[in-house]
Amino acid sequence: SDGDVPFTAAIARSDFAQAKEFLQQGMSLDVRDKFNNTVIFCAAAKETDPEGYSDEDAFWDYFEYKASEMPGTRRLALINGRFTEGNSPLHAAGERQKENACKTLLRLGAKQDAVNEEGQIPGIPPSWKENLQILSDDAGGEEEDLGFMDQPPPGQSAEPEGEAPKLPNELMESESGIDLVAGETPSASPSQPAAQAATGCGRDWRQLRKTLDQTLLD
């Protein structure tokens, strides 16, 4: 995608097999897309491709392995960061109803009570929270300086290119799965799941927004 780095571009085209290879090669998880969203947020926000579902599961499984060995502060910064409209990766994964991604994030210490700009917490089915072994905050390797989280990686702008797309507000069930549709602005209720975080990780959101007057991820 225009403005993306190889890692986020792989996720934009639902190539989770390639994204996993980047993880295995040690590519930085700190790279951002043009809206300053991290790799993990992009992966959580990306609509699941049924044909690539096993590859996506493998990506999340390997990310959990890598993240569990990180210093606790770094791990928690990666999974609890706030991005488009104040959403965390858990907000995005919950709205996309990605069970494996949600359970992975929860086991790694994602905040279940994180509140986005609409006052919403992640919408996670209660059954997904059962019998999870959650890492302690201090689990993992030695602590390190987290100044990198305040600045984009070298060569990337600190400011997003253009206006970040707004979140759609409702979910509609279709024959192909869960699709996002535009709706009225929701009330700020913690009991109501956050709307899906649309990001620059989709390649054709501008065209969809123009034709449908809404933002959808590819």
Side-chain angles (χ1 to χ4, degrees):
S1 297
D2 183 27
D4 278 336
V5 295
F7 212 157
T8 56
I11 293 171
R13 61 178 183 269
S14 297
D15 190 351
F16 282 94
Q18 179 66 75
K20 181 188 173 185
E21 286 187 22
F22 287 151
L23 269 181
Q24 292 172 322
Q25 293 166 9
M27 188 172 288
S28 175
L29 287 165
D30 307 324
V31 296
R32 309 290 180 101
D33 71 355
K34 61 184 174 181
F35 293 110
N36 210 31
N37 294 317
T38 62
V39 168
I40 296 307
F41 183 82
C42 289
K46 184 65 181 174
E47 185 175 10
T48 298
D49 179 356
E51 294 182 358
Y53 186 70
S54 60
D55 287 338
E56 184 176 358
D57 272 346
F59 169 85
W60 284 107
D61 290 345
Y62 193 76
F63 169 69
E64 182 172 9
Y65 160 70
K66 294 283 285 187
S68 66
E69 297 188 334
M70 295 177 182
T73 50
R74 172 168 169 75
R75 166 172 48 86
L76 295 174
L78 281 173
I79 64 175
N80 287 318
R82 302 302 181 85
F83 304 100
T84 302
E85 296 193 357
N87 287 285
S88 67
L90 189 60
H91 279 98
E95 200 61 59
R96 284 298 190 191
Q97 292 294 285
K98 295 185 174 188
E99 182 175 0
N100 193 30
C102 287
K103 288 183 174 180
T104 294
L105 292 167
L106 288 169
R107 283 192 295 264
L108 291 172
K111 294 181 179 178
Q112 301 180 39
D113 58 353
V115 179
N116 66 9
E117 292 176 5
E118 296 292 335
Q120 301 163 328
I121 63 174
I124 312 298
S127 62
W128 293 3
K129 304 176 186 179
E130 296 176 356
N131 303 318
L132 292 180
Q133 185 174 355
I134 299 175
L135 282 179
S136 63
D137 290 354
D138 57 357
E142 296 182 359
E143 296 299 334
E144 59 185 274
D145 181 7
L146 289 182
F148 67 88
M149 293 301 293
D150 298 325
Q151 298 293 332
Q156 293 193 33
S157 171
E159 296 297 327
E161 297 179 10
E163 181 183 357
K166 294 296 184 179
L167 297 180
N169 299 315
E170 297 175 359
L171 287 173
M172 177 177 291
E173 191 79 25
S174 70
E175 292 181 357
S176 60
I178 297 178
D179 295 328
L180 295 170
V181 297
E184 297 180 354
T185 302
S187 59
S189 171
S191 64
Q192 170 177 37
Q196 167 60 35
T199 75
C201 303
R203 289 175 292 172
D204 59 351
W205 67 266
R206 292 181 179 85
Q207 179 181 355
L208 290 171
R209 187 175 186 180
K210 180 178 179 181
T211 58
L212 303 177
D213 193 25
Q214 65 183 28
T215 301
L216 294 177
L217 290 170
D218 184 18

